[in-house]
Amino acid sequence: MTTPLLDVKSLHVDIPTERGMLHAVRGIDFHVNRGEMLCLVGESGCGKSMTSLALMGLLPRKAVRTAEHIRFDGVDLQTLPEKGMAALRGARMAMIFQEPMTSLNPSYTLGDQLCEALRAHRKVNAADARDRAVHLLERAGVPQAADRMRQYPHQLSGGLRQRVMIAMALMCGPDLIIADEPTTALDVTIQAQILRLIRELQREFGTAVVFITHDLGVVARIADRVAVMYAGEVIETAPVAELFARPTHPYTRGLLNCIPVRGKTLPGSHLQAIPGVVPSLIGDVQGCAFANRCTEVQSACAQTSPYVMLNQRHAVRCVAARAELAEAA
């Protein structure tokens, strides 16, 4: 079996608040293979962005990260000092943030920022750094790339700024890119272009990508594998085709049922919705966090949320799934 590029085991992120300890991420497991596109999907507040920040070592100061291990290419990131993490960030691990206007420095030209990212990690001269920046801007679909190098972030549209962020993430040829909802602030037409661009560049450069989103339409379009998050936990993982064909966790099925289907959802009809609200993650959380919203809830759900392997690539955290698997056996 091939060793994953990124292997995360029992990751927790806890944040102290005035009301008690907030368990933002609760013991999640997942891995990413080299050259793979893993989509981390879930509703707002489920812990997706906290997971990405934990991987990059960029959590808020009060947040506490613990894990059995967070291995990147065989090295446990928990054992690295800040200097070691700084050497990885931008060089072998890069991140594309949701809002490029707050990620790009408004006081520096795009060329300065792109070249700085490369020269901070690689021994290259200014001319070679500029040539690579222009090349990647062109590959990212930025018109008049050489002229854009002299411009400032405010002179570009939102779509072009996001293309610049993609080019910047690729400057050092990283092994892994974490993209935290990079198309949320863009209109639908530009969103489609950016998604196609990310997928094309990921395949061209052989980069592994953790793509964070709440949009299952995006997941269906670009993912190789999917990890569904709910209330700080990964509750189902599967290859994208299998997840859409055989969603097993009631929450996953609920998400899919909320999507209008052409030819089946009648104009003017009500879309399905998952009843209830996400429980508070402050203090102790026992059993299945989805139990208060689940139509298949059982008495055992209040005490346990078992991790069930349906096959080698499809896993789900659900009491009902365990019972069904036992019956099938």
Side-chain angles (χ1 to χ4, degrees):
M1 181 180 290
T2 305
T3 303
L5 174 66
L6 177 68
D7 186 25
V8 178
K9 180 71 173 178
S10 192
L11 172 63
H12 295 257
V13 176
D14 300 317
I15 305 172
T17 70
E18 294 180 354
R19 296 171 51 202
M21 188 65 75
L22 169 64
H23 305 292
V25 179
R26 304 188 297 127
I28 67 172
D29 302 342
F30 67 92
H31 70 273
V32 188
N33 296 316
R34 296 178 187 275
E36 181 181 45
M37 176 80 75
L38 173 72
C39 275
L40 201 58
V41 63
E43 59 193 283
S44 297
C46 71
K48 305 186 302 297
S49 293
M50 279 295 174
T51 298
S52 68
L53 294 175
L55 297 177
M56 296 295 291
L58 296 174
L59 286 167
R61 185 170 297 178
K62 291 185 178 180
V64 179
R65 180 189 72 178
T66 57
E68 187 174 318
H69 63 248
I70 308 172
R71 293 198 186 105
F72 175 74
D73 201 13
V75 176
D76 193 338
L77 300 184
Q78 296 183 108
T79 65
L80 285 180
E82 178 53 34
K83 186 175 181 180
M85 277 303 303
L88 276 181
R89 280 194 297 261
R92 299 195 62 200
M93 299 174 63
M95 190 161 180
I96 304 170
F97 292 93
Q98 181 172 338
E99 178 44 69
M101 197 59 190
T102 59
S103 305
L104 294 167
N105 192 321
S107 302
Y108 290 87
T109 64
L110 301 174
D112 286 342
Q113 296 182 65
L114 286 160
C115 294
E116 180 187 29
L118 181 62
R119 301 191 71 186
H121 297 284
R122 302 282 188 266
K123 293 182 179 180
V124 297
N125 58 40
D128 288 341
R130 185 183 184 281
D131 289 344
R132 179 162 177 81
V134 172
H135 167 69
L136 287 174
L137 285 176
E138 290 174 343
R139 285 296 298 111
V142 177
Q144 294 91 42
D147 295 333
R148 299 285 186 184
M149 294 278 285
R150 296 188 292 271
Q151 293 186 323
Y152 291 84
H154 73 271
Q155 295 177 280
L156 275 64
S157 66
L160 283 178
R161 285 195 292 265
Q162 199 58 280
R163 291 173 188 271
V164 171
M165 288 298 299
I166 293 169
M168 186 179 294
L170 290 168
M171 281 295 290
C172 294
D175 299 303
L176 174 69
I177 291 177
I178 300 173
D180 186 7
E181 302 202 48
T183 60
T184 298
L186 306 176
D187 65 55
V188 176
T189 303
I190 302 301
Q191 181 186 78
Q193 295 174 4
I194 295 297
L195 289 174
R196 183 167 57 251
L197 173 65
I198 290 174
R199 191 56 162 159
E200 288 174 355
L201 293 176
Q202 182 247 342
R203 288 171 172 165
E204 177 182 339
F205 290 93
T207 307
V209 177
V210 177
F211 194 101
I212 296 171
T213 182
H214 61 270
D215 189 337
L216 284 168
V218 169
V219 171
R221 184 169 184 170
I222 67 171
D224 294 316
R225 272 191 314 116
V226 188
V228 182
M229 285 193 72
Y230 180 79
E233 291 183 310
V234 170
I235 52 94
E236 187 163 6
T237 58
V240 63
E242 184 168 347
L243 186 89
F244 278 80
R246 188 191 171 194
T248 302
H249 196 283
Y251 176 66
T252 307
R253 292 201 295 268
L255 286 180
L256 291 172
N257 288 337
C258 293
I259 302 174
V261 179
R262 182 182 297 176
K264 292 184 178 180
T265 305
L266 298 176
S269 62
H270 291 288
L271 297 177
Q272 293 191 41
I274 302 173
V277 296
V278 180
S280 171
L281 297 181
I282 295 177
D284 293 334
V285 181
Q286 294 184 341
C288 177
F290 189 64
N292 66 324
R293 306 174 71 184
C294 184
T295 57
E296 303 174 27
V297 64
Q298 303 176 19
S299 58
C301 298
Q303 285 79 39
T304 184
S305 179
Y307 196 68
V308 181
M309 294 297 300
L310 302 177
N311 57 49
Q312 289 186 340
R313 302 188 68 191
H314 193 163
V316 63
R317 188 178 292 278
C318 183
V319 168
R322 182 176 63 181
E324 289 177 9
L325 194 65
E327 289 177 5

